[in-house]
Amino acid sequence: KQEVTQIPAALSVPEGENLVLNCSFTDSAIYNLQWFRQDPGKGLTSLLLIQSSQREQTSGRLNASLDKSSGRSTLYIAASQPGDSATYLCAVTSGNTGKLIFGQGTTLQVKP
Amino acid sequence: GAGVSQSPSNKVTEKGKDVELRCDPISGHTALYWYRQSLGQGLEFLIYFQGNSAPDKSGLPSDRFSAERTGGSVSTLTIQRTQQEDSAVYLCASSLNQGGEAFFGQGTRLTVV
């Protein structure tokens, strides 16, 4: 059974810092891994999608990497800003079932 | 529309009543997912539709919950005889195909009083 874990559960950093969020999964049979952002009381916004054959994807100040064999992904946020404060969720699409399976999220606070 | 649309955005219902939640996926998307998010909790998988295949209903918490997807497009999640523990935000997502990028709607906030 696929399980997705995110560490840390919460993170507080001063503005301007570079930071890394971690995601691990137990079954390497995945189609892809996706990072989302969720603001309080809102739905999920897709940030980056990494296909299983890819190693990384970049969008602006965000860079996500994928090491399928070790079951790990990281989301790197450069030069963090208060507007980056949100909950970040990673999810894998199971290669066996097609289901999208989520971690519990990392709640990020960037202090001005 | 350009994105996934869910209605209603908010629903308050009395315990014991039935409710229907609607999801309009992005046009042409064959995969559709329903999740539930209780206050301060993560996303709980409910059901997954992929094309004409039988849906994966493994996440439905009880037989009071059911969902259908008509014509491979609009989906309705029905909760019968609602209970207070059903109070949550119900989120719908769609993707172009199995393994494609998933896009979420804004959710329906259900409150059972």
Side-chain angles (χ1 to χ4, degrees):
Chain A
K1 177 185 172 185
Q2 178 73 272
E3 292 182 358
V4 181
T5 304
Q6 291 187 246
I7 296 172
L11 183 62
S12 181
V13 300
E15 182 177 6
E17 272 203 7
N18 303 323
L19 57 101
V20 174
L21 307 182
N22 296 291
C23 173
S24 62
F25 48 95
T26 55
D27 186 347
S28 62
I30 62 170
Y31 279 115
N32 61 43
L33 184 143
Q34 199 165 348
W35 283 93
F36 295 88
R37 168 185 174 139
Q38 186 175 33
D39 293 282
K42 304 291 186 182
L44 277 67
T45 300
S46 177
L47 296 174
L48 289 165
L49 171 74
I50 311 177
Q51 299 292 350
S52 62
S53 58
Q54 296 176 319
R55 298 285 295 189
E56 66 177 332
Q57 282 286 339
T58 298
S59 176
R61 293 183 293 108
L62 305 180
N63 175 276
S65 68
L66 174 64
D67 184 340
K68 200 172 74 162
S69 60
S70 68
R72 293 180 183 177
S73 175
T74 61
L75 179 66
Y76 175 82
I77 303 176
S80 58
Q81 302 171 358
D84 294 331
S85 298
T87 296
Y88 291 80
L89 295 151
C90 76
V92 298
T93 301
S94 169
N96 297 318
T97 66
K99 240 162 35 177
L100 195 60
I101 301 166
F102 281 84
Q104 290 295 307
T106 294
T107 298
L108 171 66
Q109 183 184 33
V110 181
K111 297 179 178 178
Chain B
V4 178
S5 178
Q6 292 187 245
S7 60
S9 54
N10 282 284
K11 176 73 176 178
V12 179
T13 190
E14 292 181 351
K15 178 181 173 181
K17 300 284 189 183
D18 297 353
V19 295
E20 285 190 351
L21 312 180
R22 178 185 168 106
C23 173
D24 282 90
I26 295 172
S27 179
H29 279 197
T30 64
L32 187 147
Y33 309 81
W34 281 99
Y35 289 85
R36 177 168 74 174
Q37 189 172 35
S38 301
L39 189 62
Q41 301 298 310
L43 272 75
E44 176 188 4
F45 168 77
L46 296 176
I47 189 168
Y48 164 54
F49 296 90
Q50 173 52 52
N52 295 320
S53 302
D56 181 344
K57 304 179 181 181
S58 60
L60 295 178
S62 77
D63 59 7
R64 295 186 297 105
F65 288 73
S66 63
E68 63 177 19
R69 189 178 184 191
T70 53
S73 181
V74 172
S75 177
T76 302
L77 177 69
T78 301
I79 308 174
Q80 296 179 310
R81 306 180 302 281
T82 52
Q83 304 294 314
Q84 287 187 330
E85 61 263 29
D86 299 335
S87 296
V89 175
Y90 289 81
L91 292 163
C92 174
S94 71
S95 63
L96 184 61
N97 47 38
Q98 182 169 292
E101 185 174 8
F103 297 90
F104 277 78
Q106 289 300 298
T108 294
R109 181 175 299 278
L110 175 67
T111 304
V112 182
V113 298

